Amino acid sequence: MGIFELILVSIGLAMDAFAVSLCKGLRMKTINYRQGAIISFTFGFFQALMPLLGWTLGLQFEKYITTFDHWIAFVLLFAIGGKMLWDAFHEDGSCPIGENERIKVKELFLLAIATSIDALAVGITLAFLKVDILLSVSLIGIITFAISFFGVVLGHRFGTRFQGKAEMAGGIVLILIGIKILCSHLGILMF
C-alpha cells in the first residue's frame, strides 16, 4: 500500500469523526476554535491509536494467515465501507450528541472510541500489508484532526447537510481500496 492509498484510507476513516464534528459545530452558538481543536485532537488521537493496536494484534497472527491475508484485508475494508454506506442511507441524520455546546469529557471520549473502532480493523489489515505503521498512524491522526476541525467549522456554518454524503464517500473509498488490494494480490492489477 502506497502513500496515496494510505491518504485515502485516512480520509475514509476520518468520515465518522467528520460527521460527529459537524454535529458538534452545529451545537455551538458561536464558533469556539479552542473547543474545535480539543474535539479534533481527541478524534485524531483515537483514530491513530486504534490502528496501532490493530496492527499489534495483526502481527500476532500474521504467520498463520499470510497465504490469505489479502482476502482478510478485502473483507475487513469491504465490511467497514459497507457499514458506512448502510449508515449513510439508514440513519436519521440527526446529531447523536447532547444539546449543549460545552465539551463533556466522558462523552467526547466515548464518541472518539465509537468513531475509531473501524480503525482497529484497518490496523489489523495494515499488519498484513507490511506498511510503515508510524507513517500510517501519523497520517491517520493528522488527517482526522484536520477533517474533524473542518467539520466543526463547517457544522457551525452549514449544519449537518454533508453528514450522509461524507459517510457515503468514506465507505466507497474503503471498499475501492479493499478491491484494489485483492486484485493486486491476485495479479489482476499491477499497481
Side-chain angles (χ1 to χ4, degrees):
M1 182 179 290
I3 188 83
F4 181 69
E5 286 90 357
L6 284 174
I7 290 171
L8 289 178
V9 165
S10 300
I11 292 169
L13 288 174
M15 289 301 112
D16 283 344
F18 175 74
V20 175
S21 297
L22 281 170
C23 295
K24 284 292 195 185
L26 178 69
R27 302 285 187 220
M28 292 181 182
K29 291 178 185 150
T30 58
I31 189 72
N32 186 328
Y33 293 107
R34 182 176 173 275
Q35 283 187 358
I38 291 169
I39 292 165
S40 303
F41 176 80
T42 305
F43 286 149
F45 176 78
F46 277 93
Q47 285 284 25
L49 177 65
M50 290 299 197
L52 185 59
L53 294 174
W55 178 78
T56 304
L57 283 172
L59 288 180
Q60 303 303 314
F61 300 105
E62 178 185 18
K63 62 184 172 191
Y64 303 111
I65 55 178
T66 51
T67 57
F68 53 92
D69 59 357
H70 51 283
W71 283 101
I72 293 171
F74 167 73
V75 168
L76 287 173
L77 289 172
F78 195 89
I80 294 165
K83 183 190 176 309
M84 289 175 78
L85 286 173
W86 176 267
D87 290 347
F89 286 111
H90 292 91
E91 288 185 350
D92 65 0
S94 62
C95 294
I97 56 178
E99 292 294 324
N100 60 14
E101 66 177 270
R102 294 192 53 99
I103 294 177
K104 294 178 183 172
V105 176
K106 182 179 176 183
E107 176 190 52
L108 185 59
F109 279 128
L110 289 175
L111 287 170
I113 291 169
T115 58
S116 63
I117 293 296
D118 52 352
L120 182 73
V122 169
I124 293 170
T125 302
L126 294 176
F128 303 144
L129 298 177
K130 307 272 193 257
V131 298
D132 180 349
I133 194 60
L134 292 179
L135 174 64
S136 300
V137 298
S138 296
L139 278 173
I140 290 168
I142 291 167
I143 288 173
T144 300
F145 173 86
I147 287 175
S148 297
F149 193 81
F150 179 68
V152 170
V153 173
L154 193 67
H156 176 70
R157 297 202 197 280
F158 300 109
T160 59
R161 203 175 337 199
F162 303 108
Q163 182 176 353
K165 290 176 181 63
E167 285 209 53
M168 200 180 323
I172 290 169
V173 165
L174 292 179
I175 288 170
L176 290 175
I177 290 172
I179 291 170
K180 182 204 176 281
I181 289 168
L182 181 64
C183 291
S184 293
H185 283 333
L186 294 177
I188 297 169
L189 292 175
M190 297 300 166
F191 59 93

Short mmCIF file of all heavy atoms in Angstrom, two decimals, residues 127-156:
data_model
loop_
_atom_site.label_atom_id
_atom_site.label_comp_id
_atom_site.label_asym_id
_atom_site.label_seq_id
_atom_site.Cartn_x
_atom_site.Cartn_y
_atom_site.Cartn_z
N ALA A 127 -1.12 -4.56 9.25
CA ALA A 127 -0.09 -5.52 9.64
C ALA A 127 0.17 -6.53 8.53
O ALA A 127 1.31 -6.92 8.29
CB ALA A 127 -0.50 -6.23 10.94
N PHE A 128 -0.88 -6.95 7.85
CA PHE A 128 -0.74 -7.93 6.78
C PHE A 128 -0.10 -7.34 5.54
O PHE A 128 0.52 -8.04 4.76
CB PHE A 128 -2.09 -8.54 6.41
CG PHE A 128 -2.81 -9.19 7.56
CD1 PHE A 128 -4.17 -9.12 7.65
CD2 PHE A 128 -2.12 -9.85 8.56
CE1 PHE A 128 -4.85 -9.71 8.70
CE2 PHE A 128 -2.77 -10.44 9.62
CZ PHE A 128 -4.14 -10.37 9.69
N LEU A 129 -0.27 -6.04 5.35
CA LEU A 129 0.20 -5.38 4.14
C LEU A 129 1.62 -4.84 4.27
O LEU A 129 2.14 -4.26 3.33
CB LEU A 129 -0.75 -4.25 3.77
CG LEU A 129 -2.18 -4.68 3.45
CD1 LEU A 129 -3.04 -3.46 3.16
CD2 LEU A 129 -2.20 -5.64 2.27
N LYS A 130 2.23 -5.03 5.43
CA LYS A 130 3.62 -4.62 5.66
C LYS A 130 3.87 -3.14 5.37
O LYS A 130 4.82 -2.77 4.70
CB LYS A 130 4.57 -5.45 4.80
CG LYS A 130 4.41 -6.93 4.91
CD LYS A 130 5.25 -7.47 6.02
CE LYS A 130 5.36 -8.97 5.93
NZ LYS A 130 4.53 -9.65 6.87
N VAL A 131 3.00 -2.29 5.90
CA VAL A 131 3.18 -0.85 5.71
C VAL A 131 3.97 -0.27 6.88
O VAL A 131 4.08 -0.89 7.94
CB VAL A 131 1.82 -0.12 5.59
CG1 VAL A 131 1.05 -0.62 4.40
CG2 VAL A 131 1.02 -0.26 6.85
N ASP A 132 4.51 0.91 6.67
CA ASP A 132 5.21 1.63 7.73
C ASP A 132 4.15 2.13 8.72
O ASP A 132 3.39 3.06 8.41
CB ASP A 132 5.99 2.79 7.13
CG ASP A 132 6.74 3.63 8.16
OD1 ASP A 132 6.52 3.45 9.38
OD2 ASP A 132 7.56 4.46 7.73
N ILE A 133 4.08 1.51 9.88
CA ILE A 133 3.00 1.80 10.82
C ILE A 133 3.09 3.21 11.39
O ILE A 133 2.07 3.85 11.61
CB ILE A 133 2.90 0.73 11.94
CG1 ILE A 133 1.57 0.87 12.70
CG2 ILE A 133 4.08 0.83 12.88
CD1 ILE A 133 0.34 0.70 11.88
N LEU A 134 4.29 3.71 11.62
CA LEU A 134 4.42 5.08 12.16
C LEU A 134 3.92 6.11 11.15
O LEU A 134 3.21 7.06 11.52
CB LEU A 134 5.86 5.36 12.57
CG LEU A 134 6.36 4.56 13.77
CD1 LEU A 134 7.81 4.89 14.08
CD2 LEU A 134 5.49 4.81 14.99
N LEU A 135 4.26 5.92 9.89
CA LEU A 135 3.75 6.81 8.85
C LEU A 135 2.23 6.69 8.75
O LEU A 135 1.51 7.69 8.68
CB LEU A 135 4.38 6.48 7.49
CG LEU A 135 3.82 7.24 6.29
CD1 LEU A 135 4.09 8.73 6.42
CD2 LEU A 135 4.40 6.69 5.00
N SER A 136 1.74 5.46 8.79
CA SER A 136 0.30 5.21 8.67
C SER A 136 -0.50 5.88 9.78
O SER A 136 -1.45 6.60 9.52
CB SER A 136 0.01 3.71 8.66
OG SER A 136 0.67 3.09 7.60
N VAL A 137 -0.11 5.63 11.04
CA VAL A 137 -0.88 6.19 12.15
C VAL A 137 -0.71 7.71 12.22
O VAL A 137 -1.64 8.41 12.62
CB VAL A 137 -0.57 5.52 13.51
CG1 VAL A 137 -0.95 4.05 13.48
CG2 VAL A 137 0.86 5.71 13.94
N SER A 138 0.45 8.21 11.81
CA SER A 138 0.63 9.66 11.78
C SER A 138 -0.31 10.30 10.75
O SER A 138 -0.96 11.30 11.05
CB SER A 138 2.08 10.02 11.43
OG SER A 138 2.95 9.54 12.43
N LEU A 139 -0.36 9.71 9.56
CA LEU A 139 -1.27 10.23 8.53
C LEU A 139 -2.72 10.15 8.99
O LEU A 139 -3.48 11.12 8.83
CB LEU A 139 -1.11 9.45 7.23
CG LEU A 139 0.03 9.84 6.33
CD1 LEU A 139 0.16 8.87 5.16
CD2 LEU A 139 -0.16 11.25 5.80
N ILE A 140 -3.10 9.02 9.56
CA ILE A 140 -4.48 8.84 10.02
C ILE A 140 -4.82 9.89 11.07
O ILE A 140 -5.87 10.53 11.01
CB ILE A 140 -4.71 7.41 10.54
CG1 ILE A 140 -4.66 6.42 9.37
CG2 ILE A 140 -6.02 7.30 11.29
CD1 ILE A 140 -4.59 4.96 9.79
N GLY A 141 -3.93 10.08 12.05
CA GLY A 141 -4.18 11.05 13.11
C GLY A 141 -4.25 12.48 12.61
O GLY A 141 -5.15 13.24 12.97
N ILE A 142 -3.29 12.86 11.78
CA ILE A 142 -3.23 14.25 11.28
C ILE A 142 -4.41 14.55 10.36
O ILE A 142 -5.05 15.60 10.48
CB ILE A 142 -1.88 14.50 10.56
CG1 ILE A 142 -0.74 14.50 11.60
CG2 ILE A 142 -1.91 15.80 9.77
CD1 ILE A 142 0.65 14.44 10.99
N ILE A 143 -4.71 13.63 9.47
CA ILE A 143 -5.82 13.85 8.55
C ILE A 143 -7.15 13.88 9.31
O ILE A 143 -8.01 14.72 9.02
CB ILE A 143 -5.81 12.80 7.42
CG1 ILE A 143 -4.63 13.10 6.48
CG2 ILE A 143 -7.13 12.76 6.66
CD1 ILE A 143 -4.37 12.07 5.42
N THR A 144 -7.31 13.00 10.29
CA THR A 144 -8.54 13.03 11.09
C THR A 144 -8.66 14.34 11.85
O THR A 144 -9.75 14.92 11.92
CB THR A 144 -8.60 11.84 12.06
OG1 THR A 144 -8.57 10.62 11.30
CG2 THR A 144 -9.85 11.87 12.91
N PHE A 145 -7.55 14.82 12.42
CA PHE A 145 -7.58 16.10 13.12
C PHE A 145 -8.05 17.20 12.17
O PHE A 145 -8.96 17.97 12.50
CB PHE A 145 -6.19 16.44 13.69
CG PHE A 145 -6.13 17.83 14.27
CD1 PHE A 145 -6.51 18.04 15.58
CD2 PHE A 145 -5.72 18.91 13.51
CE1 PHE A 145 -6.49 19.32 16.14
CE2 PHE A 145 -5.69 20.20 14.05
CZ PHE A 145 -6.07 20.40 15.37
N ALA A 146 -7.43 17.28 10.99
CA ALA A 146 -7.76 18.36 10.05
C ALA A 146 -9.21 18.27 9.57
O ALA A 146 -9.93 19.27 9.54
CB ALA A 146 -6.80 18.30 8.85
N ILE A 147 -9.65 17.07 9.23
CA ILE A 147 -11.01 16.89 8.74
C ILE A 147 -12.03 17.15 9.85
O ILE A 147 -13.08 17.74 9.61
CB ILE A 147 -11.18 15.48 8.12
CG1 ILE A 147 -10.44 15.45 6.77
CG2 ILE A 147 -12.64 15.11 7.95
CD1 ILE A 147 -10.41 14.09 6.10
N SER A 148 -11.71 16.74 11.07
CA SER A 148 -12.62 16.98 12.20
C SER A 148 -12.74 18.48 12.50
O SER A 148 -13.83 18.98 12.75
CB SER A 148 -12.15 16.24 13.45
OG SER A 148 -12.18 14.86 13.25
N PHE A 149 -11.61 19.17 12.47
CA PHE A 149 -11.64 20.62 12.72
C PHE A 149 -12.47 21.31 11.64
O PHE A 149 -13.30 22.17 11.93
CB PHE A 149 -10.22 21.19 12.78
CG PHE A 149 -10.18 22.58 13.32
CD1 PHE A 149 -10.22 22.80 14.69
CD2 PHE A 149 -10.11 23.67 12.47
CE1 PHE A 149 -10.19 24.10 15.21
CE2 PHE A 149 -10.09 24.97 12.97
CZ PHE A 149 -10.13 25.18 14.35
N PHE A 150 -12.25 20.91 10.40
CA PHE A 150 -13.04 21.44 9.29
C PHE A 150 -14.52 21.13 9.51
O PHE A 150 -15.39 21.96 9.24
CB PHE A 150 -12.54 20.85 7.97
CG PHE A 150 -13.30 21.30 6.77
CD1 PHE A 150 -13.25 22.62 6.34
CD2 PHE A 150 -14.09 20.41 6.07
CE1 PHE A 150 -13.97 23.04 5.22
CE2 PHE A 150 -14.80 20.82 4.96
CZ PHE A 150 -14.74 22.13 4.53
N GLY A 151 -14.81 19.93 10.04
CA GLY A 151 -16.19 19.53 10.31
C GLY A 151 -16.85 20.42 11.35
O GLY A 151 -18.03 20.78 11.21
N VAL A 152 -16.11 20.77 12.41
CA VAL A 152 -16.67 21.65 13.44
C VAL A 152 -17.02 23.00 12.83
O VAL A 152 -18.12 23.53 13.04
CB VAL A 152 -15.68 21.82 14.63
CG1 VAL A 152 -16.14 22.92 15.57
CG2 VAL A 152 -15.51 20.51 15.39
N VAL A 153 -16.11 23.56 12.07
CA VAL A 153 -16.33 24.87 11.45
C VAL A 153 -17.47 24.80 10.44
O VAL A 153 -18.38 25.64 10.44
CB VAL A 153 -15.03 25.39 10.79
CG1 VAL A 153 -15.28 26.67 10.00
CG2 VAL A 153 -13.95 25.61 11.84
N LEU A 154 -17.45 23.78 9.59
CA LEU A 154 -18.49 23.62 8.59
C LEU A 154 -19.86 23.37 9.24
O LEU A 154 -20.86 23.93 8.80
CB LEU A 154 -18.13 22.45 7.66
CG LEU A 154 -18.93 22.31 6.38
CD1 LEU A 154 -18.65 23.48 5.44
CD2 LEU A 154 -18.56 21.00 5.70
N GLY A 155 -19.88 22.56 10.29
CA GLY A 155 -21.12 22.31 11.01
C GLY A 155 -21.70 23.57 11.61
O GLY A 155 -22.92 23.78 11.58
N HIS A 156 -20.83 24.40 12.14
CA HIS A 156 -21.30 25.66 12.70
C HIS A 156 -21.93 26.55 11.62
O HIS A 156 -22.93 27.21 11.85
CB HIS A 156 -20.15 26.39 13.40
CG HIS A 156 -20.56 27.74 13.92
ND1 HIS A 156 -21.41 27.89 14.99
CD2 HIS A 156 -20.26 28.99 13.49
CE1 HIS A 156 -21.60 29.18 15.21
NE2 HIS A 156 -20.91 29.86 14.31
#
